[in-house]
Amino acid sequence: MEFTVQQIADLLQGQVQGDGNATVNQLAKIEEGTPGALSFLSNAKYEPFLYTTGATAVIVSKTLQLKAPVAASLILVEDPYSAFSTLLEVYQQAVAAARQGVEEPCFLGENSTIGERHYRGAFSYIGKNCKIGQGVHIYPNAYIGDNVTIGDNTVIYAGVKIYPDTVIGSHCTLNAGCVIGSDGFGFAPQKDGTYKAIPQTGNVVLGDHVRIGANTTVDCATMGSTLIGTGTKIDNLVQVAHNVEIGKHTVVAAQTAFAGSSKVGNYCTIAGQVGVVGHVSIADRTIVGAKSGISKNIKEEGTFVQGAPAFDYKQNLRAMAVFRKLPELQKQVDELREKL
Amino acid sequence: MEFTVQQIADLLQGQVQGDGNATVNQLAKIEEGTPGALSFLSNAKYEPFLYTTGATAVIVSKTLQLKAPVAASLILVEDPYSAFSTLLEVYQQAVAAARQGVEEPCFLGENSTIGERHYRGAFSYIGKNCKIGQGVHIYPNAYIGDNVTIGDNTVIYAGVKIYPDTVIGSHCTLNAGCVIGSDGFGFAPQKDGTYKAIPQTGNVVLGDHVRIGANTTVDCATMGSTLIGTGTKIDNLVQVAHNVEIGKHTVVAAQTAFAGSSKVGNYCTIAGQVGVVGHVSIADRTIVGAKSGISKNIKEEGTFVQGAPAFDYKQNLRAMAVFRKLPELQKQVDELREKL
Amino acid sequence: MEFTVQQIADLLQGQVQGDGNATVNQLAKIEEGTPGALSFLSNAKYEPFLYTTGATAVIVSKTLQLKAPVAASLILVEDPYSAFSTLLEVYQQAVAAARQGVEEPCFLGENSTIGERHYRGAFSYIGKNCKIGQGVHIYPNAYIGDNVTIGDNTVIYAGVKIYPDTVIGSHCTLNAGCVIGSDGFGFAPQKDGTYKAIPQTGNVVLGDHVRIGANTTVDCATMGSTLIGTGTKIDNLVQVAHNVEIGKHTVVAAQTAFAGSSKVGNYCTIAGQVGVVGHVSIADRTIVGAKSGISKNIKEEGTFVQGAPAFDYKQNLRAMAVFRKLPELQKQVDELREKL
């Protein structure tokens, strides 16, 4: 899609300084801008790039005082970062709106309904008795089992697998290859040392505006529901076991794992490669550093922990600082012991 | 599916106390029971919920002495937990039996055979020369390459990918998105610092009753076979590299990785996010704590290790206890040195 | 495929000692050889197996002095390891060449082109405006979004998901279930504690001879490109976040994660389960030990680090040695304090 600089300025309620008829067809960082690109300058640190960028146009603050001549056309706005975000959204919406209709062959089971303005890609599968809202995008090779409910404007990318009975809110994004509702990992140990599978009869319930990363797995509950609250964002390759409950507006980075029946509060930030053991509870607004292992309840809101097993973040930093010098510490102790 | 309380009691050889004509249509935990739900009470800790539950019926021990009136109908049995397990199984079998037949389009290659009572979902793919047993379920978008053998009653969930020449036993469960038989990660370093791929000509062999988790990956052997023994249960997002051999009735939790040619014994328990380096051997009945790194052979049966690198579990706990207080220990040593 | 020992010898420019008419139909390790198998002996450590192997034929060095009678036919060559590698490649090429043509149904979008000698499996999907080279293999259930470019002889295994606008070089191998170009994990925190998704408008660019493991995920850039250089080999279940740049001929083992905008040099070796935090830079030829966490730039080429957070490998080994004995160290300090 191609636009004139003036068109972009009108959209952003900004003013053009330079050539309003120049055209742009892609977005780029200011330090990587090439002809045809539209960039923005928000962080003062990047201002030097403004005078050298190859971008055709740059969105800047209307209070900016130029320190040298600029080749690019400028679009002057109140807040460049926020203007650029608006632009990105408009772009995304245009892309999304363009994707509508049904590609054949695709599969729609008995008694399933799907709302208007939807997209169903080739080889996508929808089982029986599903209720799917308006404006939902279901990409090729996605699988949606029986009795699944999906809210309006949710996007199911290619190859997503959703087991029967799952409930998904509106405005969710499920990235390619994620699995929602797989069998929980529950086995009853037998007297002879073998294991017998415990049937998993529950489901998964996702709130609205939930984001699930590529190839992330969310198991169904043994009974009841595995829950992920509204607004929560989960990165790629994360494991959410049976009966886990994650609150609202919590962010979880890649490759983290929540063991069975663990509970995570609202507004938490869980970094990457963290492990949370089964049945523990994490209070609201907890921050967990990367690679940490949570083995006990975190009861106080706003706690910041690090380490495996995790404890107070700053205390962990200090302990790690001594850890590096342990051989020296050992030597000092050896010397003291000799002296005595 | 809906049943009367009396029908459930008959199935479990139990006795009804209360309304035998009441109907139930779902299973629920006693603390979450709602009308229409059937629950059970096994652990005495949960007895208070019996007097407040909204469930329509509860399975209880026939020796239970009620301490207050109960609104729910009761089903009196010898062992409530075991009765409930029986019920879950019957339910699961009913669900499985209901799934039979072939959805179109699906692909069946030349010279491939498949037994009776099977299910093949739309967009499932079976290559050439495959031998697939009776009662096998192959969900939509699953891929089975050429020359694959699958035993009776195995379930292949949606989007599973099975490379050519794989051998899978009977009664296995492969959860959605898992990959069996991907290329082993083997490269010959060249003199110029680049790498040349070593062709991987082996396969993967799974025993009977093996469970593979969602999005888990099992690489084929360079030559010979990557082996996973009968009864072994593997959770989601686990990595099993080329030529790994895992014994029988071993349990492996999520996000654990076994590097090339490592060997794991029978009846082991490997917790989540563990890493096992290449070519090491782990004895039968070993227990490995979460996030541990196994870098050496474990020769003694029944060893319990923790840490990265891992050593004796209790010793590790003690070392971790001192680790947390390292800054204090350093201070104590500093003071001692000043005094001397 | 079946060959006589003489045919193999001719292919390898070697000489037969024993029965040139014996036939072989599979490759095996010398210690696992069974009738019909062809093995090789390169490492002197394995020579004892030469005298007991059940293999029909063994490739050996022409300088080898036999210490006992050998039942197998021998093929004498200059360098057995290299001869066997050649054989593996010929085998692989034969297998690859055999796979050609189009299985129906499959989907090819408008204005997309694909070169000669390609394979497209059933239920594979190619979007609009794609440019796909010669000899490309696209296995069943693979998804290729709009505007994707793929070079010659690249192999896309079953169920791979490639988002729109991705650029893939020639001779690449993408193992089953990997995801290329998923949404980057970028969210702008709002004043009320919720998050707003930042549209991800960039793409992923893979060089030539890149290998991506099964169920690995590579996110697209927010703007610009996530880059993986020529010759780089990535194992299974690895996470590559938005705007990451990995150089050429670098090897990355399973379950490692690179956070947003991290940069990795050329000829690096990154072991398994490593985590690299966002925006850090790693110099060429760096070696990172398993389970390490990289939280700072590594500026010097050829550095070898270990630990989380990582520091010098040897120093880490020494610190870990003291760590194990921390309870003892604490006791020594306690005794010293009592004495003073």
Side-chain angles (χ1 to χ4, degrees):
Chain A
M1 286 177 285
E2 195 165 78
F3 302 91
T4 66
V5 171
Q6 187 62 55
Q7 282 174 318
I8 303 286
D10 291 348
L11 179 76
L12 301 175
Q13 298 177 291
Q15 288 175 300
V16 176
Q17 190 170 308
D19 182 5
N21 294 321
T23 56
V24 292
N25 56 28
Q26 58 173 306
L27 305 170
K29 295 182 195 169
I30 192 166
E31 67 272 30
E32 296 173 352
T34 48
L38 171 64
S39 297
F40 77 108
L41 172 63
S42 172
N43 185 333
K45 205 175 80 178
Y46 289 88
E47 191 181 326
F49 292 112
L50 179 62
Y51 309 109
T52 59
T53 187
T56 293
V58 182
I59 301 168
V60 298
S61 166
K62 58 180 172 186
T63 63
L64 180 75
Q65 305 283 340
L66 292 183
K67 300 189 181 89
V70 174
S73 298
L74 300 181
I75 299 172
L76 310 178
V77 299
E78 201 78 43
D79 175 354
Y81 183 77
S82 144
F84 197 71
S85 298
T86 301
L87 208 63
L88 283 172
E89 275 172 49
V90 170
Y91 172 84
Q92 200 92 334
Q93 283 163 11
V95 167
R99 194 163 285 281
Q100 258 187 53
V102 177
E103 294 166 353
E104 294 293 349
C106 63
F107 190 97
L108 185 64
E110 292 167 23
N111 296 320
S112 285
T113 59
I114 179 159
E116 293 179 359
R117 292 173 297 105
H118 72 264
Y119 164 63
R120 283 191 287 142
F123 319 125
S124 64
Y125 180 100
I126 298 174
K128 299 172 190 165
N129 308 316
C130 293
K131 286 180 192 162
I132 301 179
Q134 293 182 10
V136 170
H137 290 189
I138 299 171
Y139 277 75
N141 303 98
Y143 160 80
I144 298 172
D146 298 346
N147 313 312
V148 169
T149 302
I150 300 178
D152 294 346
N153 301 308
T154 281
V155 177
I156 312 286
Y157 279 110
V160 166
K161 275 78 72 176
I162 302 174
Y163 279 55
D165 304 315
T166 301
V167 176
I168 297 177
S170 61
H171 296 280
C172 291
T173 302
L174 277 66
N175 270 280
C178 71
V179 175
I180 311 294
S182 34
D183 290 353
F185 195 63
F187 301 94
Q190 305 297 297
K191 282 171 188 167
D192 62 355
T194 67
Y195 295 89
K196 196 169 163 184
I198 298 171
Q200 306 286 317
T201 68
N203 73 343
V204 175
V205 176
L206 308 185
D208 300 328
H209 296 279
V210 170
R211 191 266 197 196
I212 304 286
N215 285 348
T216 278
T217 58
V218 183
D219 282 353
C220 74
T222 307
M223 281 186 287
S225 300
T226 301
L227 301 172
I228 299 180
T230 285
T232 284
K233 313 296 186 191
I234 295 185
D235 202 351
N236 298 347
L237 295 167
V238 168
Q239 152 74 350
V240 180
H242 59 93
N243 294 91
V244 165
E245 298 182 12
I246 301 180
K248 296 178 182 177
H249 309 296
T250 277
V251 172
V252 179
Q255 293 184 338
T256 280
F258 301 95
S261 301
S262 56
K263 287 185 175 46
V264 181
N266 305 314
Y267 305 102
C268 294
T269 301
I270 317 286
Q273 299 185 329
V274 165
V276 177
V277 309
H279 297 271
V280 307
S281 230
I282 295 177
D284 290 354
R285 297 174 207 281
T286 296
I287 301 174
V288 181
K291 284 186 172 287
S292 295
I294 306 296
S295 53
K296 290 181 183 171
N297 290 340
I298 295 178
K299 294 174 184 168
E300 203 179 330
E301 282 198 25
T303 305
F304 186 177
V305 296
Q306 176 71 53
F311 53 101
D312 176 72
Y313 176 76
K314 281 187 184 164
Q315 210 180 323
N316 185 284
L317 274 188
R318 280 185 225 113
M320 277 308 302
V322 182
F323 170 79
R324 285 166 174 247
K325 298 182 208 153
L326 274 183
E328 203 178 320
L329 186 65
Q330 175 75 66
K331 204 176 145 197
Q332 289 170 355
V333 173
D334 291 347
E335 283 168 6
L336 287 166
R337 295 180 74 209
E338 264 176 45
K339 282 188 186 168
L340 285 167
Chain B
M1 286 177 285
E2 196 164 76
F3 302 92
T4 66
V5 172
Q6 187 63 54
Q7 283 175 318
I8 302 287
D10 291 348
L11 179 76
L12 301 175
Q13 298 178 290
Q15 288 175 301
V16 175
Q17 190 171 306
D19 182 3
N21 293 321
T23 56
V24 292
N25 56 26
Q26 59 174 306
L27 305 170
K29 295 182 196 170
I30 193 166
E31 66 272 31
E32 296 173 353
T34 49
L38 171 64
S39 296
F40 77 108
L41 172 63
S42 171
N43 186 333
K45 204 176 81 179
Y46 289 89
E47 191 182 326
F49 292 112
L50 179 62
Y51 309 109
T52 58
T53 187
T56 293
V58 183
I59 300 168
V60 299
S61 168
K62 59 180 172 185
T63 62
L64 180 75
Q65 304 282 342
L66 292 183
K67 300 190 183 88
V70 173
S73 298
L74 299 181
I75 299 173
L76 310 178
V77 299
E78 200 78 42
D79 175 356
Y81 183 77
S82 145
F84 197 73
S85 297
T86 301
L87 208 63
L88 283 173
E89 274 172 51
V90 170
Y91 172 84
Q92 199 92 334
Q93 283 163 11
V95 167
R99 194 163 286 280
Q100 258 186 54
V102 178
E103 294 166 353
E104 295 291 350
C106 64
F107 190 98
L108 184 65
E110 292 167 23
N111 296 321
S112 286
T113 60
I114 178 160
E116 292 180 0
R117 294 173 296 106
H118 72 264
Y119 164 63
R120 282 191 287 143
F123 319 125
S124 64
Y125 180 99
I126 298 174
K128 300 173 190 163
N129 308 317
C130 293
K131 286 181 191 162
I132 300 179
Q134 294 183 10
V136 170
H137 290 189
I138 299 171
Y139 277 74
N141 303 97
Y143 160 80
I144 298 171
D146 297 346
N147 312 313
V148 169
T149 303
I150 300 178
D152 293 347
N153 301 308
T154 281
V155 177
I156 311 287
Y157 278 110
V160 166
K161 274 78 71 176
I162 302 174
Y163 279 55
D165 304 315
T166 301
V167 176
I168 297 178
S170 61
H171 296 279
C172 291
T173 302
L174 276 65
N175 270 281
C178 71
V179 175
I180 312 294
S182 34
D183 289 353
F185 195 63
F187 301 93
Q190 306 296 296
K191 282 171 188 167
D192 62 356
T194 67
Y195 296 89
K196 198 170 163 182
I198 298 171
Q200 306 287 316
T201 68
N203 74 343
V204 174
V205 176
L206 308 184
D208 300 328
H209 296 278
V210 170
R211 191 267 198 195
I212 304 287
N215 285 349
T216 278
T217 57
V218 182
D219 282 353
C220 74
T222 307
M223 281 186 287
S225 300
T226 300
L227 301 172
I228 299 181
T230 284
T232 284
K233 314 296 186 191
I234 295 185
D235 202 352
N236 299 347
L237 295 168
V238 168
Q239 152 74 349
V240 180
H242 61 92
N243 295 91
V244 166
E245 298 182 11
I246 301 180
K248 296 178 181 177
H249 309 296
T250 277
V251 171
V252 179
Q255 292 183 341
T256 280
F258 301 95
S261 301
S262 55
K263 288 185 174 47
V264 181
N266 305 313
Y267 305 102
C268 294
T269 302
I270 316 287
Q273 298 183 330
V274 166
V276 177
V277 309
H279 297 272
V280 308
S281 231
I282 295 177
D284 290 353
R285 297 174 206 281
T286 296
I287 301 174
V288 180
K291 284 185 172 288
S292 295
I294 307 296
S295 52
K296 289 180 183 172
N297 291 340
I298 295 180
K299 294 174 184 169
E300 204 178 329
E301 282 198 25
T303 304
F304 186 177
V305 296
Q306 176 72 54
F311 52 100
D312 177 73
Y313 176 76
K314 282 187 183 165
Q315 210 179 322
N316 185 284
L317 274 188
R318 279 185 226 112
M320 278 307 303
V322 182
F323 171 79
R324 286 168 173 244
K325 299 181 205 152
L326 274 184
E328 204 178 319
L329 185 65
Q330 175 74 67
K331 205 176 144 198
Q332 288 170 354
V333 173
D334 291 347
E335 283 168 8
L336 287 167
R337 296 180 74 207
E338 263 175 44
K339 282 189 188 168
L340 285 167
Chain C
M1 286 178 285
E2 196 164 76
F3 302 91
T4 67
V5 171
Q6 187 63 54
Q7 283 174 318
I8 303 286
D10 292 348
L11 179 75
L12 300 175
Q13 299 177 290
Q15 288 176 300
V16 176
Q17 190 169 307
D19 183 3
N21 294 321
T23 56
V24 293
N25 55 27
Q26 58 173 305
L27 305 171
K29 295 182 198 172
I30 193 166
E31 67 272 30
E32 296 173 353
T34 49
L38 172 64
S39 297
F40 77 108
L41 172 63
S42 171
N43 185 333
K45 205 175 80 177
Y46 289 89
E47 191 182 325
F49 292 111
L50 179 62
Y51 308 109
T52 60
T53 187
T56 293
V58 183
I59 301 168
V60 299
S61 166
K62 59 180 171 186
T63 63
L64 179 76
Q65 304 283 341
L66 293 183
K67 300 190 181 90
V70 175
S73 298
L74 299 182
I75 299 172
L76 311 177
V77 299
E78 201 78 43
D79 175 356
Y81 182 77
S82 144
F84 197 71
S85 298
T86 301
L87 208 63
L88 283 173
E89 275 172 51
V90 170
Y91 172 84
Q92 200 93 333
Q93 283 163 11
V95 167
R99 195 163 285 280
Q100 258 186 54
V102 177
E103 295 166 354
E104 295 292 349
C106 63
F107 190 97
L108 184 65
E110 291 167 24
N111 296 319
S112 286
T113 60
I114 179 159
E116 293 180 359
R117 292 174 295 104
H118 71 265
Y119 164 64
R120 282 190 288 143
F123 318 125
S124 64
Y125 180 99
I126 298 174
K128 299 173 191 164
N129 309 316
C130 293
K131 286 181 192 161
I132 301 179
Q134 294 183 10
V136 170
H137 291 189
I138 299 171
Y139 277 74
N141 304 98
Y143 160 80
I144 298 172
D146 298 345
N147 313 313
V148 169
T149 303
I150 300 178
D152 293 347
N153 301 308
T154 281
V155 178
I156 311 287
Y157 279 110
V160 166
K161 274 79 71 176
I162 302 174
Y163 278 56
D165 305 314
T166 301
V167 177
I168 296 177
S170 61
H171 296 279
C172 291
T173 302
L174 276 66
N175 269 281
C178 71
V179 175
I180 312 294
S182 34
D183 288 354
F185 195 64
F187 301 94
Q190 306 296 297
K191 282 172 189 167
D192 62 356
T194 67
Y195 295 89
K196 196 168 162 185
I198 298 170
Q200 306 287 316
T201 67
N203 73 343
V204 175
V205 176
L206 308 184
D208 299 328
H209 296 279
V210 170
R211 191 267 198 196
I212 304 286
N215 285 348
T216 278
T217 57
V218 183
D219 281 353
C220 74
T222 307
M223 281 185 287
S225 301
T226 301
L227 301 172
I228 299 181
T230 285
T232 284
K233 313 297 185 190
I234 294 185
D235 202 352
N236 299 347
L237 295 168
V238 168
Q239 153 73 350
V240 180
H242 60 93
N243 295 90
V244 166
E245 299 182 11
I246 302 179
K248 297 178 182 177
H249 309 296
T250 276
V251 172
V252 180
Q255 292 183 340
T256 280
F258 301 95
S261 300
S262 55
K263 287 186 175 47
V264 181
N266 304 313
Y267 305 103
C268 294
T269 302
I270 317 287
Q273 298 183 330
V274 166
V276 177
V277 309
H279 297 272
V280 308
S281 230
I282 295 177
D284 289 354
R285 297 175 207 281
T286 297
I287 301 174
V288 181
K291 284 186 172 286
S292 295
I294 307 296
S295 52
K296 290 180 182 172
N297 291 340
I298 296 179
K299 294 174 184 168
E300 204 179 331
E301 282 198 26
T303 304
F304 185 177
V305 296
Q306 176 72 54
F311 52 101
D312 177 72
Y313 176 75
K314 281 187 185 165
Q315 210 180 322
N316 186 284
L317 274 188
R318 278 184 227 114
M320 278 306 304
V322 182
F323 171 78
R324 285 166 175 246
K325 297 183 207 150
L326 274 183
E328 203 178 322
L329 185 65
Q330 175 74 67
K331 204 176 145 197
Q332 290 171 354
V333 173
D334 290 348
E335 282 168 7
L336 286 167
R337 295 180 74 208
E338 264 176 43
K339 282 188 187 168
L340 284 169

